[in-house]
């Protein structure tokens, strides 16, 4: 069909043609909004270029939103949490919400007693990273270790570790709430080692680094595992009244006092 033929389209014919073209080109937002945007453009005496820009920007914005929603869904967070609903000082929010630490592949550790709200910032910061375009995965430490053990039994360990390696941020919750045997600890160590200085890991634990011996009972392995997430990390210590942020380049065995 030539351009001359399209000029003769009726209003109804134009609507049908736009609808069909949007389906073919996979432009769902323009398809659903073009009529309202056309009416607004007419009222505001918008130029053709201005109207076209409005249509395309609406599609781009919605596509970005849908991508964010897919990344958040893929992260498998157990519930929705937002930084806006979190009692955090502004400087700390600004520091972490930029997700610069994720871009640089740096670790984040949230340390505090049970019930002091570590999961909230872990999920909220993971959500923020997903919204900024990073691939994120949330998992309980026990679930991760069980998955690794099962994968090793079924000779799928390489594939499973590779899947976790591909994400930009691995959020590991409730570390320190269980005791791991040597095999489970070694598998977790392998995942952390694969990510070191390449991709970020965020860990929430109810034990300070010095207390990780309760989880990793082998002294050498405990030292090696603490060494991974704690080096050059952002450390958040949660309390009942406040959340404080610090940075450290400390190696294993040195606990940050905030």
């Amino acid at each position: 069909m030539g351009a001359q033929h399209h000029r003769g389209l009726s209003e109804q014919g134009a609507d049908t043609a736009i609808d069909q073209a949007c389906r073919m080109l996979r432009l769902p937002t323009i398809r659903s909004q073009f009529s309202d945007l056309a009416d607004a453009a007419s009222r505001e005496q918008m130029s053709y270029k201005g109207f076209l820009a409005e249509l395309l920007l609406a599609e781009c914005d919605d596509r970005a939103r849908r991508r964010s929603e897919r990344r958040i869904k893929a992260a498998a967070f157990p519930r929705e949490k937002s930084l806006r609903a979190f009692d955090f000082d502004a400087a700390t929010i600004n520091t972490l919400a930029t997700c610069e630490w994720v871009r640089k592949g740096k670790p984040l550790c949230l340390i505090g007693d049970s019930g002091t709200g570590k999961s909230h910032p872990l999920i909220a910061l993971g959500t923020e990273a997903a919204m900024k375009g990073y691939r994120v995965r949330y998992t309980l430490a026990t679930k991760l270790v069980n998955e690794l053990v099962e994968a090793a039994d079924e000779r799928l360990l390489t594939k499973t570790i590779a899947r976790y390696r591909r994400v930009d941020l691995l959020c590991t919750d409730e570390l320190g709430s269980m005791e791991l045997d040597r095999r489970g600890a070694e598998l977790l160590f392998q995942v952390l080692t694969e990510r070191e200085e390449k991709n970020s890991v965020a860990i929430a634990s109810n034990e300070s680094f010095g207390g990780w011996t309760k989880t990793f009972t082998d002294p050498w392995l405990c030292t090696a595992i603490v060494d991974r997430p704690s080096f050059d990390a952002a450390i958040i210590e949660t309390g009942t009244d406040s959340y404080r942020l610090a940075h450290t380049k400390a190696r294993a065995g040195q606990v940050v006092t905030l």
Side-chain angles (χ1 to χ4, degrees), residues 184-197:
E186 284 176 345
L187 291 171
L188 183 57
F189 175 70
Q190 198 171 335
V191 169
L192 296 177
T193 301
E194 288 276 343
R195 302 185 62 77
E196 188 178 20
E197 296 179 7

Side-chain angles (χ1 to χ4, degrees), residues 213-250:
T213 51
K214 297 173 187 175
T215 295
F216 307 104
T217 53
D218 180 278
W220 178 87
L221 205 51
C222 182
T223 300
I225 286 174
V226 169
D227 195 38
R228 292 302 183 269
S230 65
F231 177 68
D232 202 12
I235 314 287
I236 296 180
E237 187 179 71
T238 64
T240 52
D241 300 321
S242 64
Y243 299 83
R244 290 174 293 176
L245 173 70
H247 287 81
T248 179
K249 292 207 176 203

Side-chain angles (χ1 to χ4, degrees), residues 138-159:
Y138 170 96
T139 181
L140 295 174
T142 47
K143 186 179 177 183
L144 174 57
V145 170
N146 288 339
E147 185 180 348
L148 293 170
V149 170
E150 286 176 17
D153 289 342
E154 296 170 15
R155 299 187 178 181
L156 296 170
L157 184 61
T158 303
K159 187 177 179 181

